[in-house]
Amino acid sequence: MKDPKAFNFDGDYGEEYKELASRVIPGYDELFIATLSLLQERLDKGAKILIVGCGTGKELEVFASAEDQWTFDCVDLGGRRIIKKKKVAGKMEISSRVQLHHCYTHELDPDIQFDAATIINVMHFLPDDGSKDALMQSVTERVKPDGTVVLFDLHGDQSDPYFNLFYGAWKRFMDHRGYTGKKKERLLSRLDRGIAYASSDRILQICQDSGLHLIRSYWSGLLYTAWLFERHGQKHLKSSMVKMI
């Protein structure tokens, strides 16, 4: 059983997360630009986007500055992260385009539908006991048919020999990025105690079961991957409902 307190975003881990993410996740900053580019290809002006996991406000910094007609609903359980997101929105003068929700995704009004949703660095914190499935189901239900879902996550099959190879390489990557000493030791301890790894096959199955169609993976670095999904269209959804009846 993983320790849910290993990553305290309202504590010291949250304070150092922005620096940590940029330094230890391969291609982290470029990921958001690549994601923005894909969203711009998929979405119209005035698109409504759900951001699951507020983090440091990186999505707003990148997406909102490039598209001045997009609106954003940001969901997070961390009170400090909500406050940080509010400060980011205020500093960027985009508060009128941002709604902040201190709650679970499934607590959002399901009648409010989004053109797209992003789930970046969230799923790996959830145990594979139905919690990962519930997250993806709650997100998919709030995205319009034919809408877009982006998932970026740390993952892997710990029983497969490749995992140790790539995990060892990731630790060396941290060294090359200057993330060493006690900071690195604390992070590795947290990873061991708190990350619920799932294989890529398992993740894709979860997403498929929730009603998503994989378009393609578009970003990868060591044990991280980003996938672009589309929610099944209205015709498919109607067909599924008929089968259920």
Side-chain angles (χ1 to χ4, degrees):
M1 183 68 179
K2 294 298 180 178
D3 180 5
K5 297 181 180 179
F7 295 92
N8 181 8
F9 282 92
D10 274 341
D12 59 338
Y13 181 76
E15 292 298 320
E16 64 183 55
Y17 179 74
K18 188 169 186 177
E19 176 203 1
L20 180 154
S22 294
R23 292 177 70 182
V24 310
I25 299 176
Y28 181 77
D29 294 319
E30 291 79 8
L31 161 75
F32 288 90
I33 299 173
T35 302
L36 166 66
S37 302
L38 282 170
L39 291 176
Q40 288 174 316
E41 285 293 305
R42 296 273 299 172
L43 305 179
D44 296 326
K45 297 294 183 182
K48 188 175 180 64
I49 301 172
L50 172 63
I51 298 174
V52 180
C54 285
T56 60
K58 186 74 172 179
E59 295 93 339
L60 289 183
E61 291 174 358
V62 177
F63 303 163
S65 60
E67 293 291 340
D68 60 10
Q69 295 183 49
W70 287 1
T71 60
F72 306 88
D73 280 59
C74 308
V75 179
D76 208 295
L77 294 178
R80 288 189 181 181
R81 281 178 287 180
I82 290 290
I83 293 172
K84 286 182 179 180
K85 206 81 162 190
K86 187 174 183 178
K87 289 181 178 178
V88 169
K91 186 176 181 179
M92 295 178 64
E93 299 183 347
I94 58 170
S95 297
S96 62
R97 293 196 283 136
V98 178
Q99 294 290 325
L100 301 174
H101 306 274
H102 189 196
C103 66
Y104 289 98
T105 308
H106 69 261
E107 294 176 314
L108 292 177
D109 183 351
D111 292 330
I112 298 176
Q113 295 283 283
F114 297 89
D115 299 288
T118 64
I119 313 159
I120 297 177
N121 281 337
V122 175
M123 185 185 280
H124 56 257
F125 295 117
L126 301 178
D128 195 5
D129 59 357
S131 299
K132 295 180 189 291
D133 306 75
L135 169 66
M136 292 310 303
Q137 188 67 47
S138 67
V139 173
T140 301
E141 289 172 351
R142 285 158 180 79
V143 173
K144 297 175 182 177
D146 300 317
T148 304
V149 175
V150 168
L151 174 65
F152 176 76
D153 213 54
L154 170 64
H155 66 94
D157 182 351
Q158 290 179 287
S159 67
D160 194 298
Y162 84 82
F163 185 90
N164 288 334
L165 169 65
F166 277 70
Y167 191 81
W170 186 26
K171 290 191 288 185
R172 292 181 184 274
F173 178 86
M174 295 178 196
D175 293 336
H176 292 308
R177 295 284 288 162
Y179 203 81
T180 59
K182 292 184 178 180
K183 284 186 176 181
K184 179 182 175 182
E185 292 175 8
R186 286 198 302 269
L187 174 60
L188 294 177
S189 175
R190 285 183 169 124
L191 291 170
D192 183 58
R193 292 184 289 121
I195 296 298
Y197 293 97
S199 69
S200 58
D201 287 345
R202 171 65 181 138
I203 289 174
L204 293 177
Q205 186 63 56
I206 290 171
C207 293
Q208 179 180 321
D209 290 345
S210 76
L212 296 177
H213 163 70
L214 175 66
I215 297 177
R216 192 176 188 272
S217 62
Y218 68 92
W219 201 259
S220 182
L222 297 176
L223 292 173
Y224 286 89
T225 299
W227 297 269
L228 182 69
F229 295 95
E230 179 179 85
R231 186 184 181 188
H232 286 305
Q234 191 66 47
K235 182 177 180 181
H236 182 278
L237 292 178
K238 287 181 179 178
S239 175
S240 297
M241 289 177 67
V242 170
K243 290 179 181 179
M244 289 174 65
I245 293 172

